[in-house]
Amino acid sequence: MCFRRKVLVRLDLHGRRDAIIALLSENESLSAVDLSRRLGVSVQTLRADLRDLDEAALVQRRNGRAQLRQQSENIGYLPREGIARKEKQRIALAVKNLIPDGARVALGTGTTVEQCARFLTSHKDLFVASNSIHAVCALQNAPGVAVELAGGPVRMRDLDMIGVAAHAFFSRYRVDYTVFSCGGVSASGSVMDYNSDEIAVRRAIVDCGKQSVLVVDSTKIGLDLACQMGHIRDFDVVVTGARLAPALLRDCRQAECRVIEV
């Protein structure tokens, strides 16, 4: 969602902080005064928001201005849940509409995938394989769902499994759809992440499916991280709240990758 030249009023706390993150992803840095003008919120409120976002390691404040914090590893799961919450729900709705009742689905890790799992609870008789405890819990009330959870060491920060055992787990299945996220997408469209374990398990998830669905919120666009796994055009479907650059859309179209912008 683009916030340029638009004043947003009466945003709730999560919506306001989503808007702050979105604006900072579009601009190198902004002051509390800049954000106040764009969002129609008092400078005092914006300063409190920026302080809390700084403490959550989402933004960095310096010389009266704020910018997104560059990460050598992803932030904790709970702070990530609050980022782009409504956008992730729109992404999840689009994924729900892609997947029919009775489908076999592999779900990866992360807060966007967890939202997708929550929206899939209205489907009947799904088979789901996942390495995310959050995604499995979200599916608890899905009628007739059958779930297989990866084993191996649990990454306690995110309640997921990304080691060798998780890689072997996905290699045992053949599913209709794979739904997964990533740490970032570079300006050129490369799919990036923070470490090689994330990449290895994601590759195993993609390989076990007939149709691959990458879900990525707009705050991840333009992040150039340490590890790379191909290009967004390599997947069958990309669902995002971002407005991708024309060159990336052209690459995807030529590769028969469907881009759904929500």
Side-chain angles (χ1 to χ4, degrees):
M1 180 181 295
C2 181
F3 294 95
R4 295 187 184 94
R5 302 174 188 168
K6 186 175 181 181
V7 176
L8 302 182
V9 296
R10 287 181 285 187
L11 290 170
D12 62 16
L13 176 65
H14 291 301
R16 189 173 67 247
R17 293 183 179 180
D18 281 357
I20 292 169
I21 295 294
L23 282 167
L24 291 177
S25 71
E26 295 176 353
N27 299 270
E28 184 174 346
S29 68
L30 292 169
S31 68
V33 173
D34 294 331
L35 291 165
S36 174
R37 289 171 181 157
R38 299 189 189 208
L39 299 179
V41 180
S42 72
V43 173
Q44 182 179 5
T45 297
L46 265 301
R47 284 175 176 155
D49 287 334
L50 291 174
R51 182 181 63 248
D52 290 345
L53 290 169
D54 190 357
E55 290 175 356
L58 297 176
V59 306
Q60 184 174 36
R61 295 178 296 164
R62 181 176 297 170
N63 299 325
R65 301 182 70 81
Q67 63 185 38
L68 290 183
R69 189 180 292 272
Q70 297 298 310
Q71 304 284 341
S72 59
E73 64 177 67
N74 209 353
I75 61 174
Y77 199 92
L78 186 59
R80 297 205 316 270
E81 282 189 310
I83 302 173
R85 184 188 300 266
K86 292 182 180 178
E87 180 185 347
K88 290 172 184 176
Q89 290 172 345
R90 297 196 304 272
I91 291 170
L93 178 60
V95 171
K96 170 189 170 181
N97 292 334
L98 287 173
I99 295 174
D101 289 344
R104 301 188 304 272
V105 185
L107 295 177
T109 63
T111 58
T112 307
V113 175
E114 181 187 354
Q115 283 291 346
C116 292
R118 292 188 185 284
F119 274 64
L120 287 174
T121 56
S122 63
H123 284 12
K124 298 177 181 178
D125 303 323
L126 295 175
F127 170 84
V128 177
S130 183
N131 60 327
S132 167
I133 295 172
H134 287 288
V136 169
C137 291
L139 287 162
Q140 183 176 7
N141 296 318
V145 68
V147 176
E148 294 284 342
L149 178 64
V154 176
R155 183 168 56 167
M156 295 305 294
R157 185 196 69 185
D158 288 3
L159 290 181
D160 60 18
M161 290 70 74
I162 61 168
V164 173
H167 186 283
F169 166 80
F170 285 109
S171 68
R172 299 200 298 267
Y173 296 100
R174 181 64 173 165
V175 300
D176 302 308
Y177 300 89
T178 62
V179 181
F180 53 92
S181 187
C182 63
V185 175
S186 74
S188 63
S190 296
V191 178
M192 316 297 292
D193 227 312
Y194 294 89
N195 60 69
S196 57
D197 286 338
E198 299 267 15
I199 294 289
V201 174
R202 184 174 302 110
R203 191 176 302 279
I205 293 172
V206 172
D207 289 347
C208 79
K210 298 175 185 176
Q211 188 167 37
S212 54
V213 182
L214 171 65
V215 294
V216 56
D217 71 74
S218 57
T219 66
K220 295 182 178 180
I221 304 299
L223 291 183
D224 195 4
L225 304 176
C227 299
Q228 176 179 333
M229 178 188 160
H231 192 277
I232 61 170
R233 63 171 174 257
D234 298 334
F235 307 114
D236 296 302
V237 182
V238 176
V239 186
T240 181
R243 297 298 174 259
L244 299 183
L248 288 183
L249 290 173
R250 186 167 54 251
D251 282 348
C252 290
R253 190 162 52 247
Q254 291 173 350
E256 299 184 349
C257 166
R258 178 185 176 190
V259 176
I260 301 174
E261 295 181 338
V262 298

